[in-house]
């Protein structure tokens, strides 16, 4: 398996199918990309960005990391955001968590996996911040709610980057969204965490953190 032949065969079939459906597809796409959306999601293999929102290559700019965290010192994530907002001029950024997230679960269980624990510490901070609310819930609800709260906090972090603030200052049309994907049924849930300008950010955040969406076993 030095060459992963099966994946190259898959690739050939996919390219042939795609070309059959639209002979110009790759030719046109190779010349430019014009996505309207930046998706910031979890690395989990069950949450493939383009497939979930049924968009073709070229339509979605993507950054993924474990537990969909946006940190103001993460040059990787910030570079993706800066290029997406300032060069590609995407109109929407969505932070997308998912129910059953193993990264968030690890935080709730105080599980230790090594180096990654440092990264998940950011989710641990979200847990501590909202501990009073989480402590009123049973185990399943607590996981789903922390997954939601983590998205809400990351939406706030996106809004507070100088990239998004500068775009809004310049009058650029840019909306930030917070969503959670259900592994059990493939549906996206909108957390009503929608911010279209700097003035809205605090109100949207305050409403979202107090409004509980999570239901036990939410899928
Ligand atoms: Zn995850």
């Amino acid at each position: 398996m030095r060459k992963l032949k099966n994946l190259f065969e898959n690739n050939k079939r996919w390219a042939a199918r795609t070309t059959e459906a639209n002979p110009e597809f790759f030719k046109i796409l190779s010349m430019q990309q014009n996505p309207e959306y930046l998706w910031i999601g979890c690395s989990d293999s069950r949450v493939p960005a383009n497939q979930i929102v049924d968009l073709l290559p070229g339509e979605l700019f993507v950054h993924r990391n474990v537990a969909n965290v946006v940190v103001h010192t993460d040059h990787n994530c910030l570079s993706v955001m800066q290029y997406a907002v300032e060069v590609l001029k995407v109109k929407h950024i969505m932070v997308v968590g998912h129910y059953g997230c193993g990264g968030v679960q690890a935080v709730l269980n105080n599980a230790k996996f090594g180096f990654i624990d440092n990264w998940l510490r950011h989710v641990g901070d979200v847990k501590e911040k909202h501990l009073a609310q989480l402590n009123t819930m049973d185990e399943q609800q607590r996981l789903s709610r922390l997954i939601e709260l983590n998205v809400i906090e990351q939406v706030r972090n996106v809004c507070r980057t100088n990239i998004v603030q500068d775009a809004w200052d310049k009058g650029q049309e840019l909306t930030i969204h917070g969503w959670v994907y259900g592994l059990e049924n493939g549906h996206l849930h909108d957390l009503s965490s929608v911010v279209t300008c700097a003035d809205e950010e605090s109100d949207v955040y305050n409403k979202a953190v107090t409004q509980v969406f999570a239901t036990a076993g939410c899928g």
Side-chain angles (χ1 to χ4, degrees):
M1 290 300 271
R2 280 166 68 95
K3 290 196 169 175
L4 295 175
K5 221 173 135 197
N6 56 328
L7 297 189
F8 280 86
E9 281 165 6
N10 285 359
N11 167 252
K12 262 191 204 150
R13 276 196 302 272
W14 170 76
R17 264 200 324 271
T18 307
T19 307
E20 199 183 312
N22 179 359
E24 299 296 302
F25 183 79
F26 290 110
K27 205 167 140 191
I28 293 166
L29 205 57
S30 67
M31 289 187 282
Q32 59 158 13
Q33 63 166 338
N34 193 21
E36 282 195 19
Y37 314 97
L38 165 60
W39 170 290
I40 300 176
C42 184
S43 299
D44 192 304
S45 64
R46 299 166 294 179
V47 192
N50 280 68
Q51 275 166 274
I52 286 171
V53 281
D54 202 13
L55 289 179
L56 290 167
E59 295 184 315
L60 194 64
F61 206 60
V62 174
H63 176 80
R64 290 168 68 182
N65 61 44
V66 174
N68 41 271
V69 175
V70 176
V71 185
H72 291 131
T73 50
D74 177 0
H75 289 194
N76 184 348
C77 182
L78 293 183
S79 298
V80 172
M81 278 182 57
Q82 189 254 325
Y83 188 78
V85 171
E86 293 181 14
V87 181
L88 296 175
K89 304 229 181 298
V90 296
K91 292 191 171 65
H92 303 271
I93 300 175
M94 52 281 263
V95 177
V96 189
H98 65 101
Y99 293 115
C101 182
V104 177
Q105 178 85 69
V107 169
L108 274 181
N109 293 352
N110 294 314
K112 301 281 173 257
F113 290 106
F115 183 81
I116 194 173
D117 301 343
N118 299 293
W119 179 252
L120 292 175
R121 183 62 243 172
H122 295 294
V123 182
D125 293 343
V126 176
K127 180 182 88 170
E128 280 176 20
K129 190 171 177 184
H130 299 284
L131 202 56
Q133 183 186 122
L134 294 167
N135 279 343
T136 64
M137 299 171 174
D138 67 28
E139 204 176 318
Q140 182 60 50
Q141 274 182 316
R142 198 176 303 139
L143 174 60
S144 294
R145 184 55 181 160
L146 182 54
I147 285 159
E148 294 172 354
L149 287 167
N150 183 47
V151 168
I152 293 162
E153 291 289 344
Q154 306 317 321
V155 165
R156 166 168 264 197
N157 288 346
V158 170
C159 292
R160 290 181 167 188
T161 58
N162 66 344
I163 300 157
V164 171
Q165 295 278 324
D166 288 352
W168 282 337
D169 280 350
K170 283 186 280 190
Q172 189 176 331
E173 185 194 331
L174 182 62
T175 305
I176 320 302
H177 309 257
W179 299 347
V180 180
Y181 173 72
L183 294 174
E184 290 171 14
N185 58 16
H187 290 168
L188 282 168
H189 303 258
D190 189 329
L191 296 180
S192 302
S193 209
V194 183
V195 188
T196 63
C197 63
D199 291 343
E200 286 179 1
E201 192 266 313
S202 281
D203 267 2
V204 168
Y205 172 85
N206 289 331
K207 273 186 201 140
V209 291
T210 49
Q211 187 181 343
V212 177
F213 296 87
T215 52
C218 205

